Structure formats: C-alpha cells, structure tokens
Amino acid sequence: MKQRKYNLIIAVILLVLLLAIFFVLISMPAAKDDNDIPDSQVLENIIDMKDKKISHITVKNPLGSYEIGLKTKDGEDEYLLLGEDDNKTSKTATQTLVESIINLKPVQIVQEEAKNLSLYGVDKGQATLKVDFDNNDTIVLKLGNDAPLSKGAYLVVNGEVKVYLINMTDKEIFLNEKDFYKNQE
C-alpha cells in the first residue's frame, strides 16, 4: 500500500513538471530567423508588365533550346515557335507559357542577398528563360535546384542575389521541350 502511494505521488509530481515545461515552451516567443517572411507580406509578380508586352522568349533547358516570338496576324497577336511553320505551333500552349510568365509569382523570398548562389543551384541553373519586351527591356529568369520537401524550386532574376522560391507547377514552364508547343498531329 505504501509503495502504491509513493508511486502515485511520483507520477503526479512528474505530470505536474511535464505540464509546467509544456506551458513554458508554449509561452516562449519563436526564435527569430533572418529568413522569416512575415505572413502578411504579399508578394508581387516577378515581372512588372506595366506598359509593355512580351515580344520574344528564349528557352534553354536540358532538353534543348527554342524560341517563341510575337507575330501580328490580321490585327491579332500570336505567339509562335520561331523556325517552324506557323500552323505547327500550338497557339494555346504558347499563350499559356506567356500568361504563366506574366503571372509568375514567388511563394517566398528565400534570401534577399544570397552570398552563395550555388547553395540554390541558380549559379549555373537547370534552365533559363530570356524574356524580351516590346520596349527593349530584357529579363533573364534562371531556375535552380528543387527546394527540400518538394516546396518548390529556386529562381533568380537577371543574375541578382535575391533568391525566390516558385511553385513546382511554375517550374514546368522552364522544362518543357520544344515539341510541347507543337500541334499534335
């Protein structure tokens, strides 16, 4: 009987201690990380399309390289594979590429001033999109490694040191092969 009481007292003391530790841990503020992005921060599209439109896109990836250009036919703009018969281009696929570039929005800014771009694979890059605009501006988007846990892929713009994280679905616009933009016969 004494042994039971003794064990019960020890168990209650341990439970009280564990609860005290739990409440102390909950009430502590989270460690501040230099890479933390405030939840309230709204990230803008990577490309500012104010007063310009895409005139030419050069894609370079492990599957090859190709170019898509803007052509005006019968007063309407079309994006076509350059070097191919215009009828062979899937206008839906090329328009989707253009819209994806225009609406490319990062999930997160990983580093404002990365000191070592090779950590993210953006120093060499898996793939590159060079986007030319009708106002003679040019932007180069370089795709890096995948982020851990399939959270997305790293990206830099114009070789700057700001590293972005983009969705895995946005990553696909960098990796499509030329045939993806051809009509299926």
Side-chain angles (χ1 to χ4, degrees):
M1 187 73 156
K2 270 187 165 182
Q3 185 66 26
R4 272 192 175 169
K5 274 186 177 179
Y6 178 74
N7 287 342
L8 186 59
I9 292 171
I10 297 293
V12 169
I13 291 172
L14 285 175
L15 182 62
V16 169
L17 284 173
L18 286 174
L19 284 173
I21 292 171
F22 176 73
F23 285 115
V24 167
L25 289 175
I26 287 178
S27 65
M28 290 177 59
K32 190 75 171 160
D33 185 4
D34 291 339
N35 297 332
D36 282 349
I37 305 296
D39 292 337
S40 62
Q41 181 178 1
V42 177
L43 298 174
E44 300 292 327
N45 290 352
I46 290 176
I47 299 176
D48 178 13
M49 291 301 297
K50 188 176 183 180
D51 300 326
K52 60 185 171 186
K53 73 176 146 184
I54 295 174
S55 61
H56 187 264
I57 303 166
T58 304
V59 179
K60 292 181 183 176
N61 64 34
L63 302 173
S65 62
Y66 52 91
E67 297 178 44
I68 295 173
L70 174 65
K71 291 187 180 178
T72 303
K73 273 185 163 176
D74 301 325
E76 293 207 20
D77 291 340
E78 295 179 329
Y79 290 94
L80 303 170
L81 272 172
L82 300 180
E84 296 287 333
D85 182 355
D86 291 355
N87 294 326
K88 289 188 177 181
T89 300
S90 168
K91 292 167 186 69
T92 304
T94 55
Q95 187 62 39
T96 301
L97 170 66
V98 170
E99 289 173 8
S100 296
I101 292 170
I102 290 170
N103 295 312
L104 185 61
K105 186 178 284 194
V107 174
Q108 173 183 352
I109 298 171
V110 179
Q111 285 276 312
E112 284 284 344
E113 294 183 28
K115 291 176 179 38
N116 187 356
L117 293 176
S118 64
L119 292 174
Y120 306 102
V122 293
D123 54 333
K124 295 178 184 170
Q126 286 185 31
T128 303
L129 288 180
K130 180 181 171 223
V131 183
D132 298 314
F133 299 94
D134 60 353
N135 67 354
N136 295 325
D137 282 352
T138 297
I139 290 181
V140 178
L141 305 170
K142 194 179 281 190
L143 181 70
N145 297 336
D146 289 351
L149 304 174
S150 299
K151 287 185 175 183
Y154 300 116
L155 176 85
V156 292
V157 179
N158 292 331
E160 295 176 1
V161 293
K162 183 186 279 189
V163 179
Y164 297 97
L165 181 69
I166 60 170
N167 283 322
M168 293 303 272
T169 52
D170 289 334
K171 171 186 169 183
E172 296 305 315
I173 65 173
F174 290 85
L175 301 177
N176 289 328
E177 59 186 327
K178 183 177 184 175
D179 289 344
F180 181 82
Y181 297 101
K182 290 182 180 178
N183 283 324
Q184 304 304 316
E185 299 176 53

